[in-house]
C-alpha cells in the first residue's frame, strides 16, 4: 500500500516542478464577414490570428472594390485592412492564409476567409430649399452638393497584358515573367486598364538586352491612385549547346553553338541545317572561354554525306616523321578526327600567333599511309588572324608560309635507285669506249710454197 502512495506523491511532485504548457486551439478569423458602403467610402475589417502566426494575402475579385494592404504578417493578434468602394456593385474580398501555423504546429496554409462587400449608390441629396423672399443680410450662395457623377474611380487594375506571339507567365497579381530567344531584340507590350478612365505608362516597344530586362507598368486610377505591375523579360544569350540545336535553328540567320570534347554533329543534324539553309558555327572553347576552333557549316552548300567528328588536335601523332620530310618548316599543325570530306563544311582555326591579320599561306596535307606531303591550297587567306581549311580526304594538315617540295619516302628511294642506274650506265659506257680504242691483232701471212704432188717416184727432200 505504501508503494502506491509513494507513486502518487511522485507524480504530483513531477507535475508541480515540470508543468506542461498547453495552448488553446488556434485559427484565423475575419470580422466583419460583410460590409456595406457607398461609392467613395472606405471601411475596415480585421483579420485575427488566435494562437497562430504567419502571412495572409488579401485580394478583391472585382474592380468595384479595392483593398489595402495586399499582404500582412499577423501573430497571435489582429491586423486591419481597408476596403474602398470604387463603383456601384458588389464584390468579394478574399483573405488567403499563405504561410500560417498554430502554436501547436498545425499548418493552416491554404485556408481562405471571405468578406462580402456591397457598394451602394450615394443617397440623393436634399432638394435645394426654396429661397425666402424676405431679404436677409449678406446671404451666402447655396453650396451645390456632389452628385454620383462627381465620384472618381480608384480602380487601378489591369485588364490584360499582351505581346503578339508571346504569353506572359503570372507570378502573382502584379508580377509577370517571360523568356525570349536571342534574336528578339525588342518586344511590343500592350496593357489595357480595367477602368476606362485609368491610364497606363511604361507599355509600348521595349528594347531588350541579353539577360534580364525589367519593365514596370504604372496604372493610375481616375482618382490618382497608382499601382505598379512588374514584368521580367529574359533574353537568351547567343550560345546554344549541341542538344539545343533545334531551338538554335529557329533563332536568327547566323547561329552559334558551343561544343565540347567528343561531340559529334550527326548526319540528321546536318540535314536539319541544310533544310533550314542557315550558317551554323560550332565552336570549341577553352577554360578561359577563348575560341580554340570553329566548324562552319553552310546550309546552302551542305551535302550531309557523313557525321562530323568535331575533335581537333594541334599536334601530329607522327610529328617527327613529318618534320623530317618538311625540312623542319615552321607552321601550324592541324590533326582531325574527321576522315572524310563533307561539302559545305570548313574548319576555322585561330592563327594569330603565326600569321599577321591578312597574310596568305600554303596549306599542305600529309598522307601518313604513303608518307607523302601534298600541296592542298597554294594560297590560303588569313582573315582576322584565322585560317579556314576546307575538308579533304586527309586528316592531317600543315599551314605555313614556307614552300615545301613534294616529298615522300617512296619518292626518295625511287630517285636514289634511278641515280644508281644512271651511274651504272655511265660506267658501262666508259668501259665500252675504252675497249673500242685497243690495237688490232696482226695476222702473219706466209709466202707461197711450191706444191709437190704425190707420185710413185721417191720424193726428194729439198733443203732451203
Amino acid at each position: 500500500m505504501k508503494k502506491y502512495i509513494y507513486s502518487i506523491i511522485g507524480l504530483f511532485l513531477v507535475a508541480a516542478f515540470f508543468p506542461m504548457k498547453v495552448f488553446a486551439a488556434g485559427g484565423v478569423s475575419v470580422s466583419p464577414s460583410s460590409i456595406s458602403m457607398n461609392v467613395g467610402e472606405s471601411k475596415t475589417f480585421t483579420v485575427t490570428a488566435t494562437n497562430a502566426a504567419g502571412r495572409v494575402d488579401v485580394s478583391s475579385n472585382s474592380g468595384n472594390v479595392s483593398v489595402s494592404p495586399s499582404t500582412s504578417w499577423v501573430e497571435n493578434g489582429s491586423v486591419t485592412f481597408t476596403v474602398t468602394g470604387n463603383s456601384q456593385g458588389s464584390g468579394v474580398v478574399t483573405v488567403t492564409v499563405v504561410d500560417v501555423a498554430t502554436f501547436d504546429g498545425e499548418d493552416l496554409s491554404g485556408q481562405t476567409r471571405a468578406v462580402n462587400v456591397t457598394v451602394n449608390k450615394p443617397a440623393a441629396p436634399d432638394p435645394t430649399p426654396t429661397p425666402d423672399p424676405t431679404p436677409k443680410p449678406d446671404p451666402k450662395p447655396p453650396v451645390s452638393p456632389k452628385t454620383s457623377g462627381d465620384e472618381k474611380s480608384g480602380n487601378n487594375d489591369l485588364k490584360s497584358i499582351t505581346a503578339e506571339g508571346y504569353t506572359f507567365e503570372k507570378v502573382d497579381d502584379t508580377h509577370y515573367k517571360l523568356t525570349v530567344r536571342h534574336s528578339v531584340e525588342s518586344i511590343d507590350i500592350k496593357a489595357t486598364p480595367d477602368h476606362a478612365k485609368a491610364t497606363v505608362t511604361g507599355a509600348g516597344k521595349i528594347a531588350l538586352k541579353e539577360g534580364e530586362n525589367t519593365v514596370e507598368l504604372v496604372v493610375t486610377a481616375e482618382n490618382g491612385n497608382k499601382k505598379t505591375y512588374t514584368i521580367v523579360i529574359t533574353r537568351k544569350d547567343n550560345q546554344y549547346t549541341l542538344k539545343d540545336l533545334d531551338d538554335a535553328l529557329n533563332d536568327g540567320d547566323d547561329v552559334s553553338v558551343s561544343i565540347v570534347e567528343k561531340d559529334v554533329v550527326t548526319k540528321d543534324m546536318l540535314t536539319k541545317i541544310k533544310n533550314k539553309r542557315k550558317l551554323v558555327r560550332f565552336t570549341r572553347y577553352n577554360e578561359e572561354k577563348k575560341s580554340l576552333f570553329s566548324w562552319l557549316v553552310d546550309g546552302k552548300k551542305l551535302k550531309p554525306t557523313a557525321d562530323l567528328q568535331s575533335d581537333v588536335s594541334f599536334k601530329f601523332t607522327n610529328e617527327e616523321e613529318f618534320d623530317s620530310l618538311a625540312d623542319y618548316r615552321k607552321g601550324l599543325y592541324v590533326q582531325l578526327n574527321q576522315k572524310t570530306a563533307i561539302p559545305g563544311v570548313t574548319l576555322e582555326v585561330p592563327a594569330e600567333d603565326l600569321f599577321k591579320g591578312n597574310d596568305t599561306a600554303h596549306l599542305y596535307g600529309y598522307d601518313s599511309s604513303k608518307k607523302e606531303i601534298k600541296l592542298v591550297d597554294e594560297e590560303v587567306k588569313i582573315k582576322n588572324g584565322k585560317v579556314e581549311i576546307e575538308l579533304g580526304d586527309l586528316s592531317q594538315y600543315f599551314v605555313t608560309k614556307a614552300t615545301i617540295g613534294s616529298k615522300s619516302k617512296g619518292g626518295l628511294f625511287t630517285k636514289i635507285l634511278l641515280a644508281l642506274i644512271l651511274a651504272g650506265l655511265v660506267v658501262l659506257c666508259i668501259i665500252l669506249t675504252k675497249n673500242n680504242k685497243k690495237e688490232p691483232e696482226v695476222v702473219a701471212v706466209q709466202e707461197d710454197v711450191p706444191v709437190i704432188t704425190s707420185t710413185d717416184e721417191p720424193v726428194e727432200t729439198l733443203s732451203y
Side-chain angles (χ1 to χ4, degrees):
M1 185 67 179
K2 289 181 179 180
K3 184 177 181 180
Y4 291 111
I5 293 174
Y6 291 150
S7 298
I8 294 172
I9 292 172
L11 291 174
F12 277 112
L13 289 174
V14 170
F17 285 100
F18 301 98
M20 294 180 64
K21 190 173 182 179
V22 179
F23 294 105
V28 176
S29 60
V30 175
S31 178
S33 59
S34 62
I35 296 175
S36 179
M37 65 177 71
N38 292 332
V39 173
E41 287 185 335
S42 296
K43 291 189 178 182
T44 62
F45 67 90
T46 302
V47 177
T48 302
T50 305
N51 293 323
R55 180 169 69 92
V56 293
D57 288 349
V58 181
S59 61
S60 171
N61 72 337
S62 170
N64 299 325
V65 177
S66 59
V67 59
S68 64
S70 60
T71 185
S72 183
W73 178 270
V74 59
E75 183 174 354
N76 199 30
S78 300
V79 61
T80 300
F81 294 87
T82 301
V83 181
T84 301
N86 299 323
S87 58
Q88 184 179 356
S90 60
V92 177
V93 174
T94 302
V95 179
T96 304
V97 179
V98 177
D99 188 14
V100 178
T102 67
F103 294 162
D104 288 333
E106 181 184 357
D107 186 6
L108 304 179
S109 299
Q111 296 184 10
T112 59
R113 306 289 185 270
V115 178
N116 297 311
V117 180
T118 302
V119 182
N120 302 310
K121 185 177 180 180
D126 293 334
T128 303
T130 304
D132 189 348
T134 305
K136 293 183 179 180
D138 300 322
K140 293 182 179 181
V143 178
S144 300
K146 286 186 177 181
T147 64
S148 59
D150 295 327
E151 295 293 338
K152 294 185 178 181
S153 170
N155 186 351
N156 52 14
D157 295 329
L158 278 179
K159 181 184 294 184
S160 64
I161 304 174
T162 60
E164 187 175 356
Y166 301 97
T167 301
F168 293 99
E169 180 181 348
K170 186 175 182 179
V171 179
D172 56 35
D173 287 345
T174 57
H175 291 81
Y176 295 80
K177 64 181 182 179
L178 175 67
T179 300
V180 298
R181 299 191 304 269
H182 178 268
S183 60
V184 180
E185 298 179 349
S186 64
I187 189 170
D188 192 3
I189 298 176
K190 296 179 180 179
T192 304
D194 189 57
H195 192 274
K197 293 187 178 181
T199 59
V200 181
T201 59
K205 189 173 184 178
I206 308 297
L208 301 177
K209 66 180 188 303
E210 286 188 7
E212 289 190 353
N213 300 263
T214 301
V215 180
E216 291 186 345
L217 307 178
V218 180
V219 184
T220 304
E222 184 184 13
N223 65 1
N225 291 343
K226 297 180 182 294
K227 183 187 289 187
T228 301
Y229 290 78
T230 303
I231 308 172
V232 176
I233 304 174
T234 302
R235 180 188 175 194
K236 291 183 178 179
D237 60 27
N238 196 26
Q239 202 60 62
Y240 293 90
T241 60
L242 195 58
K243 66 179 181 180
D244 303 321
L245 181 61
D246 288 343
D247 291 337
L249 291 175
N250 292 321
D251 191 3
D253 293 328
D254 295 338
V255 181
S256 180
V257 177
S258 175
I259 54 176
V260 296
E261 186 179 3
K262 297 182 180 180
D263 266 353
V264 177
V265 184
T266 65
K267 287 177 62 177
D268 289 341
M269 294 177 179
L270 294 174
T271 300
K272 291 178 181 179
I273 296 172
K274 178 183 178 182
N275 293 338
K276 289 287 186 177
R277 297 178 63 80
K278 292 189 176 183
L279 177 65
V280 181
R281 178 185 295 269
F282 295 93
T283 304
R284 175 85 173 272
Y285 296 92
N286 60 14
E287 293 179 355
E288 289 76 31
K289 301 298 182 184
K290 183 178 179 181
S291 172
L292 296 176
F293 59 86
S294 296
W295 289 102
L296 307 181
V297 181
D298 189 343
K300 296 179 181 179
K301 302 177 182 178
L302 182 61
K303 293 182 180 179
T305 55
D307 293 346
L308 174 60
Q309 310 291 330
S310 69
D311 282 355
V312 175
S313 173
F314 298 103
K315 184 177 177 64
F316 283 0
T317 53
N318 46 7
E319 193 168 306
E320 185 175 345
E321 177 183 80
F322 174 83
D323 285 344
S324 66
L325 291 172
D327 293 335
Y328 299 93
R329 304 290 190 181
K330 184 179 179 181
L332 174 67
Y333 300 90
V334 180
Q335 180 162 316
L336 313 177
N337 272 15
Q338 185 67 26
K339 306 299 182 184
T340 57
I342 304 177
V345 176
T346 58
L347 176 65
E348 182 184 79
V349 180
E352 60 268 17
D353 294 339
L354 294 172
F355 307 103
K356 295 180 181 179
N358 294 308
D359 269 349
T360 58
H362 306 303
L363 175 65
Y364 294 92
Y366 183 50
D367 189 340
S368 58
S369 63
K370 297 180 180 179
K371 306 295 187 292
E372 188 176 31
I373 300 175
K374 299 178 179 180
L375 179 62
V376 177
D377 194 339
E378 188 174 3
E379 188 175 281
V380 176
K381 290 185 179 179
I382 312 298
K383 299 178 181 177
N384 300 319
K386 297 178 181 179
V387 59
E388 288 188 12
I389 301 173
E390 291 190 12
L391 288 186
D393 291 327
L394 300 174
S395 60
Q396 292 178 306
Y397 294 91
F398 186 67
V399 185
T400 180
K401 294 190 72 173
T403 301
I404 302 174
S406 180
K407 294 186 177 183
S408 69
K409 283 191 174 181
L412 183 61
F413 176 77
T414 302
K415 289 180 180 180
I416 294 173
L417 181 60
L418 290 173
L420 291 174
I421 293 173
L422 181 61
L425 290 173
V426 171
V427 171
L428 181 60
C429 288
I430 292 172
I431 293 172
L432 291 175
T433 302
K434 285 183 177 182
N435 288 338
N436 288 335
K437 289 182 179 180
K438 286 183 178 180
E439 293 292 334
E441 293 183 3
V442 178
V443 181
V445 180
Q446 295 182 356
E447 295 179 0
D448 294 338
V449 180
V451 180
I452 302 172
T453 37
S454 177
T455 60
D456 294 337
E457 297 177 3
V459 176
E460 183 179 0
T461 305
L462 300 177
S463 60
Y464 292 91

